[in-house]
Amino acid sequence: MTQTHLLVIDDDPHIRSVLRVALQQAGHAVDEAGDGAEGLTKARTGRYDLIVLDIGLPEMDGLALCRALRQTDETPVLFLTAREDEIDRVLGFELGGDDYVTKPFSPRELVARIGAILKRARPGSRPDLARGVLRLDPSRHLCEVAGRPLTLTAREMEILAHLMARPDHVAARPALVDAVYGGAVVSDRTLDSHLRNLRAKLAEAGCADAIETVHGVGIRMGPCAGS
């Protein structure tokens, strides 16, 4: 199996050291950056399977870095945050983050979260999925609307793949959270953030009817008729 290559961006040398040891013991190769500017440069010039990104960074904070990175890159991002305010975490998801861990954290938990994200992003044997003008190839992380490619994050891809696997079934929100977030404790606002981003991307691509909310029941696929 090819070794995964991770980038850790945090201004605390002790945290970087703890993460480096834990991740290397788990079989990952690790690069580091100590501030936002250096981190963005490395993220743009290197080839990484996942980025561990602290929100409270000097030079450029983690949210701004993620926003800049998402203009051209969909590498999975796991946020580290010392902030308790849920607004910060929700904003991180809205900018394209895939997960977050709050400081102080357990290195074992963080390694497990990273493993779950990488597993979702890794090519597998899942079949191609189709609904109206929408086509999804989860194994190659490809999405098309009326033949035009659409860039999705790993989490957005997972949500869409889960819904498209049973397109006429209404997925209850708790079941959708369990399927997409792997049992992690997440709030309704976290799911709402990812759904809002996904709907916006699909609407911009001409598929505004792709995801429907059945009030009081859950979420299902729409007809994906296209514009």
Side-chain angles (χ1 to χ4, degrees), residues 168-182:
D168 297 312
H169 172 75
V170 180
R173 292 176 68 91
L176 185 58
V177 168
D178 286 343
V180 173
Y181 299 90

PDB file of all heavy atoms in Angstrom, residues 168-182:
ATOM      1  N   ASP A 168     -34.527   7.066  -3.933  1.00  0.00           N
ATOM      2  CA  ASP A 168     -35.930   7.299  -3.605  1.00  0.00           C
ATOM      3  C   ASP A 168     -36.234   7.080  -2.128  1.00  0.00           C
ATOM      4  O   ASP A 168     -37.387   7.140  -1.704  1.00  0.00           O
ATOM      5  CB  ASP A 168     -36.827   6.384  -4.457  1.00  0.00           C
ATOM      6  CG  ASP A 168     -36.687   6.683  -5.945  1.00  0.00           C
ATOM      7  OD1 ASP A 168     -36.743   7.879  -6.306  1.00  0.00           O
ATOM      8  OD2 ASP A 168     -36.499   5.744  -6.726  1.00  0.00           O
ATOM      9  N   HIS A 169     -35.179   6.836  -1.377  1.00  0.00           N
ATOM     10  CA  HIS A 169     -35.320   6.612   0.058  1.00  0.00           C
ATOM     11  C   HIS A 169     -35.055   7.916   0.812  1.00  0.00           C
ATOM     12  O   HIS A 169     -34.130   8.656   0.481  1.00  0.00           O
ATOM     13  CB  HIS A 169     -34.320   5.545   0.506  1.00  0.00           C
ATOM     14  CG  HIS A 169     -34.234   5.369   1.989  1.00  0.00           C
ATOM     15  ND1 HIS A 169     -35.202   4.723   2.719  1.00  0.00           N
ATOM     16  CD2 HIS A 169     -33.288   5.758   2.877  1.00  0.00           C
ATOM     17  CE1 HIS A 169     -34.852   4.714   3.995  1.00  0.00           C
ATOM     18  NE2 HIS A 169     -33.704   5.338   4.125  1.00  0.00           N
ATOM     19  N   VAL A 170     -35.872   8.203   1.821  1.00  0.00           N
ATOM     20  CA  VAL A 170     -35.648   9.375   2.666  1.00  0.00           C
ATOM     21  C   VAL A 170     -34.699   8.978   3.801  1.00  0.00           C
ATOM     22  O   VAL A 170     -35.027   8.113   4.616  1.00  0.00           O
ATOM     23  CB  VAL A 170     -36.964   9.921   3.244  1.00  0.00           C
ATOM     24  CG1 VAL A 170     -36.688  11.138   4.125  1.00  0.00           C
ATOM     25  CG2 VAL A 170     -37.926  10.298   2.125  1.00  0.00           C
ATOM     26  N   ALA A 171     -33.514   9.579   3.835  1.00  0.00           N
ATOM     27  CA  ALA A 171     -32.528   9.271   4.867  1.00  0.00           C
ATOM     28  C   ALA A 171     -32.803  10.143   6.092  1.00  0.00           C
ATOM     29  O   ALA A 171     -32.757  11.374   6.001  1.00  0.00           O
ATOM     30  CB  ALA A 171     -31.116   9.516   4.346  1.00  0.00           C
ATOM     31  N   ALA A 172     -33.110   9.511   7.218  1.00  0.00           N
ATOM     32  CA  ALA A 172     -33.285  10.260   8.455  1.00  0.00           C
ATOM     33  C   ALA A 172     -31.974  10.928   8.835  1.00  0.00           C
ATOM     34  O   ALA A 172     -30.895  10.371   8.593  1.00  0.00           O
ATOM     35  CB  ALA A 172     -33.749   9.324   9.569  1.00  0.00           C
ATOM     36  N   ARG A 173     -32.040  12.110   9.404  1.00  0.00           N
ATOM     37  CA  ARG A 173     -30.821  12.857   9.716  1.00  0.00           C
ATOM     38  C   ARG A 173     -29.862  12.071  10.619  1.00  0.00           C
ATOM     39  O   ARG A 173     -28.656  12.051  10.348  1.00  0.00           O
ATOM     40  CB  ARG A 173     -31.185  14.206  10.333  1.00  0.00           C
ATOM     41  CG  ARG A 173     -31.867  15.142   9.347  1.00  0.00           C
ATOM     42  CD  ARG A 173     -32.300  16.438  10.018  1.00  0.00           C
ATOM     43  NE  ARG A 173     -31.153  17.234  10.415  1.00  0.00           N
ATOM     44  CZ  ARG A 173     -30.584  18.158   9.646  1.00  0.00           C
ATOM     45  NH1 ARG A 173     -31.074  18.400   8.437  1.00  0.00           N
ATOM     46  NH2 ARG A 173     -29.562  18.846  10.068  1.00  0.00           N
ATOM     47  N   PRO A 174     -30.324  11.401  11.681  1.00  0.00           N
ATOM     48  CA  PRO A 174     -29.381  10.630  12.511  1.00  0.00           C
ATOM     49  C   PRO A 174     -28.681   9.526  11.723  1.00  0.00           C
ATOM     50  O   PRO A 174     -27.483   9.290  11.912  1.00  0.00           O
ATOM     51  CB  PRO A 174     -30.278  10.055  13.616  1.00  0.00           C
ATOM     52  CG  PRO A 174     -31.442  10.981  13.695  1.00  0.00           C
ATOM     53  CD  PRO A 174     -31.683  11.408  12.284  1.00  0.00           C
ATOM     54  N   ALA A 175     -29.413   8.857  10.844  1.00  0.00           N
ATOM     55  CA  ALA A 175     -28.816   7.796  10.038  1.00  0.00           C
ATOM     56  C   ALA A 175     -27.804   8.369   9.049  1.00  0.00           C
ATOM     57  O   ALA A 175     -26.748   7.759   8.795  1.00  0.00           O
ATOM     58  CB  ALA A 175     -29.904   7.022   9.294  1.00  0.00           C
ATOM     59  N   LEU A 176     -28.097   9.540   8.492  1.00  0.00           N
ATOM     60  CA  LEU A 176     -27.176  10.190   7.559  1.00  0.00           C
ATOM     61  C   LEU A 176     -25.895  10.602   8.273  1.00  0.00           C
ATOM     62  O   LEU A 176     -24.792  10.423   7.746  1.00  0.00           O
ATOM     63  CB  LEU A 176     -27.849  11.400   6.917  1.00  0.00           C
ATOM     64  CG  LEU A 176     -27.072  12.135   5.818  1.00  0.00           C
ATOM     65  CD1 LEU A 176     -26.723  11.194   4.679  1.00  0.00           C
ATOM     66  CD2 LEU A 176     -27.885  13.320   5.302  1.00  0.00           C
ATOM     67  N   VAL A 177     -26.030  11.129   9.485  1.00  0.00           N
ATOM     68  CA  VAL A 177     -24.848  11.498  10.278  1.00  0.00           C
ATOM     69  C   VAL A 177     -23.994  10.272  10.557  1.00  0.00           C
ATOM     70  O   VAL A 177     -22.765  10.294  10.402  1.00  0.00           O
ATOM     71  CB  VAL A 177     -25.270  12.185  11.590  1.00  0.00           C
ATOM     72  CG1 VAL A 177     -24.077  12.301  12.549  1.00  0.00           C
ATOM     73  CG2 VAL A 177     -25.841  13.569  11.312  1.00  0.00           C
ATOM     74  N   ASP A 178     -24.621   9.168  10.974  1.00  0.00           N
ATOM     75  CA  ASP A 178     -23.869   7.941  11.273  1.00  0.00           C
ATOM     76  C   ASP A 178     -23.135   7.434  10.041  1.00  0.00           C
ATOM     77  O   ASP A 178     -21.978   7.003  10.117  1.00  0.00           O
ATOM     78  CB  ASP A 178     -24.820   6.850  11.781  1.00  0.00           C
ATOM     79  CG  ASP A 178     -25.300   7.099  13.197  1.00  0.00           C
ATOM     80  OD1 ASP A 178     -24.671   7.920  13.895  1.00  0.00           O
ATOM     81  OD2 ASP A 178     -26.301   6.472  13.613  1.00  0.00           O
ATOM     82  N   ALA A 179     -23.806   7.479   8.890  1.00  0.00           N
ATOM     83  CA  ALA A 179     -23.205   6.952   7.666  1.00  0.00           C
ATOM     84  C   ALA A 179     -22.053   7.811   7.165  1.00  0.00           C
ATOM     85  O   ALA A 179     -21.044   7.301   6.686  1.00  0.00           O
ATOM     86  CB  ALA A 179     -24.274   6.830   6.584  1.00  0.00           C
ATOM     87  N   VAL A 180     -22.197   9.123   7.295  1.00  0.00           N
ATOM     88  CA  VAL A 180     -21.222  10.044   6.697  1.00  0.00           C
ATOM     89  C   VAL A 180     -20.084  10.386   7.649  1.00  0.00           C
ATOM     90  O   VAL A 180     -18.931  10.516   7.231  1.00  0.00           O
ATOM     91  CB  VAL A 180     -21.934  11.332   6.228  1.00  0.00           C
ATOM     92  CG1 VAL A 180     -20.927  12.375   5.768  1.00  0.00           C
ATOM     93  CG2 VAL A 180     -22.906  11.013   5.108  1.00  0.00           C
ATOM     94  N   TYR A 181     -20.381  10.516   8.942  1.00  0.00           N
ATOM     95  CA  TYR A 181     -19.370  10.972   9.893  1.00  0.00           C
ATOM     96  C   TYR A 181     -18.785   9.845  10.720  1.00  0.00           C
ATOM     97  O   TYR A 181     -18.034  10.086  11.674  1.00  0.00           O
ATOM     98  CB  TYR A 181     -19.960  12.055  10.804  1.00  0.00           C
ATOM     99  CG  TYR A 181     -20.420  13.272  10.049  1.00  0.00           C
ATOM    100  CD1 TYR A 181     -21.723  13.367   9.572  1.00  0.00           C
ATOM    101  CD2 TYR A 181     -19.547  14.323   9.779  1.00  0.00           C
ATOM    102  CE1 TYR A 181     -22.151  14.471   8.858  1.00  0.00           C
ATOM    103  CE2 TYR A 181     -19.966  15.430   9.060  1.00  0.00           C
ATOM    104  CZ  TYR A 181     -21.272  15.500   8.602  1.00  0.00           C
ATOM    105  OH  TYR A 181     -21.689  16.591   7.891  1.00  0.00           O
ATOM    106  N   GLY A 182     -19.158   8.612  10.403  1.00  0.00           N
ATOM    107  CA  GLY A 182     -18.519   7.474  11.034  1.00  0.00           C
ATOM    108  C   GLY A 182     -18.693   7.376  12.537  1.00  0.00           C
ATOM    109  O   GLY A 182     -17.808   6.927  13.248  1.00  0.00           O
TER     110      GLY A 182
END
